[in-house]
Amino acid sequence: MTEPSFALPTIRLKPKANARAIRHGAPWIYDNELVTDRRTKALAPGEIARLEDAERTFLALVAVNPKSRIFARVLDREETARIDADWFAARLGTALAHRERLFDAPFYRLVHAEADGLPGVVVDRFGDTCVIQPNAAWADGRIEPLAEALRAVTGVATVVMNGTGRARGLEGLPEETRVLCGAVDGPVPVPMNGATYMADLMGGQKTGLFYDQRPNHAFAQRLAGGARVLDVFSHVGGFALAALAGGAAQALSVDSSAAALDLAGKGAQAMGRADDLATRRGDAFDVMAALAGEGARFDVVICDPPAFAPAKPALEKGLRAYERVARMAAPLVREGGYLGLCSCSHAADLDAFRASCNRGIGRAGRSAQLIHTGFAGADHPLMPQLAESGYLKALFYRLMP
């Protein structure tokens, strides 16, 4: 159990730091905003501390990590709070109440980090199993009480810790995936938008499936009736399986991962559409170039690449990559067909992403109508004070004759 607040170490904002932003809900405090000395730099990653403003007024209980640019993350604004299993249970209960109002089956993102009051923590639910990504040192060090509270609140039998990804590296944390309780016997079937996805909870990307695209899959289904669909960067069949569930005649999934494409095929089989899904393994750009050379054309083309601009230093290169995706995908769309382009990059805001896509379509010699802009689903809430929590953008165009 966490020590009482009076026994906790104290860190303090510099006089010119924006204490008002913290009071108004900002969740992060960077290393250059704090008075740092040997004592503060010696704090253990994940340790709980009191945060004060320059006038020594209490602001929040925070989790610190001197190894990270984000030196402190706000956990609670009550000075008497204890960060223990009961505290976790209260946060998880609030998050669960929202998801149970949204969904009639237990397949969703249960915790979306700062937006759900658990900084750096992602929890995805797959029926009777939850997968935790503890992407901050404070949560990694408290994974046992977090898992205990998760089981108590949700009633799930199995909890998996997926400790992989770029965010953990920024926190100085090792990569590690293990079953905390229960058992995982193989891929888990996940119903979503009438499709069936097979999620690899132990070896797949992130937690095994991307729930954030659910509303964009649903929109794509409205375009897919009777269509021939191309899904580039398909992972386990994202848009392709959604399109087949929406009545598409055929779908082609393109991905560099043989394992992901195998799961896409198993999903199509579970839906009774195995004969209508084709897969093509390879670099997405190489495959799009080959398809163009073959004269292939599709009624609907959707590209959902990985984050090309995960941070500001990669922004210009990332935006050029998004432009290239649009330029290469547009010629594959028949006249009057539809093109969907997605970005999960934190650093590329909607305006910049849209401008890159528009340039790419124009450079391909195509004219287009922008017909829909989509975002992540309501189980991925946006924290108003943290732009990074609203990372997903999806643009749908109609390419004109």
Side-chain angles (χ1 to χ4, degrees), residues 359-376:
R359 281 195 302 272
I361 293 169
R363 288 185 61 194
R366 304 296 299 270
S367 60
Q369 300 169 318
L370 178 60
I371 62 168
H372 179 73
T373 300
F375 303 96

Side-chain angles (χ1 to χ4, degrees), residues 7-60:
L8 297 175
T10 296
I11 60 174
R12 190 168 297 115
L13 292 178
K14 291 178 178 178
K16 292 186 178 180
N18 191 356
R20 180 180 296 178
I22 303 300
R23 291 191 180 94
H24 290 176
W28 293 349
I29 302 93
Y30 291 96
D31 53 4
N32 61 0
E33 297 179 291
L34 292 165
V35 177
T36 54
D37 53 24
R38 261 186 287 181
R39 179 188 61 83
T40 55
K41 291 179 181 179
L43 292 171
E47 192 168 351
I48 308 301
R50 300 172 67 259
L51 174 68
E52 295 180 348
D53 65 16
E55 286 73 42
R56 300 177 183 268
T57 301
F58 174 81
L59 292 173

Side-chain angles (χ1 to χ4, degrees), residues 41-352:
K41 291 179 181 179
L43 292 171
E47 192 168 351
I48 308 301
R50 300 172 67 259
L51 174 68
E52 295 180 348
D53 65 16
E55 286 73 42
R56 300 177 183 268
T57 301
F58 174 81
L59 292 173
L61 293 182
V62 296
V64 302
N65 188 349
K67 296 182 178 180
S68 173
R69 173 88 202 287
I70 303 172
F71 194 106
R73 299 171 186 263
V74 173
L75 297 180
D76 206 299
R77 297 177 189 278
E78 293 294 330
E79 192 169 4
T80 57
R82 289 174 178 262
I83 312 304
D84 55 16
D86 290 339
W87 184 88
F88 279 121
R91 297 289 168 102
L92 292 168
T94 299
L96 179 63
H98 171 57
R99 277 69 180 186
E100 288 185 333
R101 186 174 290 270
L102 292 173
F103 304 108
D104 57 7
F107 297 90
Y108 42 68
R109 173 149 294 183
L110 175 59
V111 173
H112 193 51
E114 279 78 357
D116 280 302
L118 290 167
V121 178
V122 167
V123 180
D124 283 343
R125 184 170 183 179
F126 301 90
D128 201 31
T129 300
C130 280
V131 180
I132 307 172
Q133 281 194 305
N135 293 327
W138 78 275
D140 189 76
R142 294 169 177 79
I143 192 67
E144 298 298 340
L146 173 54
E148 175 189 336
L150 188 57
R151 289 185 67 192
V153 170
T154 63
V156 297
T158 300
V159 179
V160 174
M161 171 186 162
N162 183 319
T164 62
R166 175 178 176 273
R168 284 179 63 86
L170 296 175
E171 285 277 299
L173 298 171
E175 293 207 351
E176 176 187 17
T177 297
R178 57 192 171 100
V179 177
L180 299 175
C181 59
V184 177
D185 299 323
V188 175
V190 178
M192 187 162 59
N193 290 319
T196 300
Y197 297 90
M198 304 303 292
D200 180 359
L201 307 188
M202 298 299 295
Q205 294 182 39
K206 301 292 186 179
T207 61
L209 191 69
F210 299 106
Y211 282 127
D212 52 2
Q213 287 283 19
R214 188 190 319 244
N216 300 315
H217 289 165
F219 182 80
Q221 285 182 321
R222 297 168 64 183
L223 310 175
R228 187 166 180 248
V229 176
L230 172 64
D231 180 13
V232 185
F233 307 97
S234 179
H235 190 222
V236 297
F239 282 95
L241 296 183
L244 290 175
Q250 295 176 317
L252 172 61
S253 285
V254 174
D255 203 271
S256 61
S257 168
L261 292 176
D262 180 62
L263 290 172
K266 290 177 179 176
Q269 185 175 18
M271 295 165 57
R273 299 294 305 272
D275 293 341
D276 301 320
L277 177 73
T279 63
R280 193 152 170 174
R281 183 189 177 195
D283 174 83
F285 295 104
D286 292 344
V287 173
M288 284 193 287
L291 288 170
E294 296 163 13
R297 295 294 181 271
F298 299 86
D299 302 297
V300 179
V301 175
I302 301 176
C303 300
D304 183 17
F308 288 143
K312 287 184 180 179
L315 179 58
E316 285 191 30
K317 182 179 179 181
L319 291 174
R320 288 195 299 271
Y322 288 123
E323 179 180 331
R324 184 184 177 203
V325 169
R327 176 173 56 81
M328 296 187 71
L332 299 175
V333 182
R334 69 163 180 81
E335 292 187 350
Y338 297 93
L339 173 62
L341 300 169
C342 307
S343 166
C344 60
S345 292
H346 295 282
D349 66 19
L350 177 60
D351 289 343

Side-chain angles (χ1 to χ4, degrees), residues 343-397:
S343 166
C344 60
S345 292
H346 295 282
D349 66 19
L350 177 60
D351 289 343
F353 174 59
R354 184 171 52 221
S356 291
C357 294
N358 293 345
R359 281 195 302 272
I361 293 169
R363 288 185 61 194
R366 304 296 299 270
S367 60
Q369 300 169 318
L370 178 60
I371 62 168
H372 179 73
T373 300
F375 303 96
D379 55 343
H380 291 64
L382 172 70
M383 186 179 195
Q385 301 87 353
L386 187 65
E388 288 87 345
S389 61
Y391 59 94
L392 182 65
K393 290 82 61 178
L395 304 175
F396 289 86
Y397 296 85

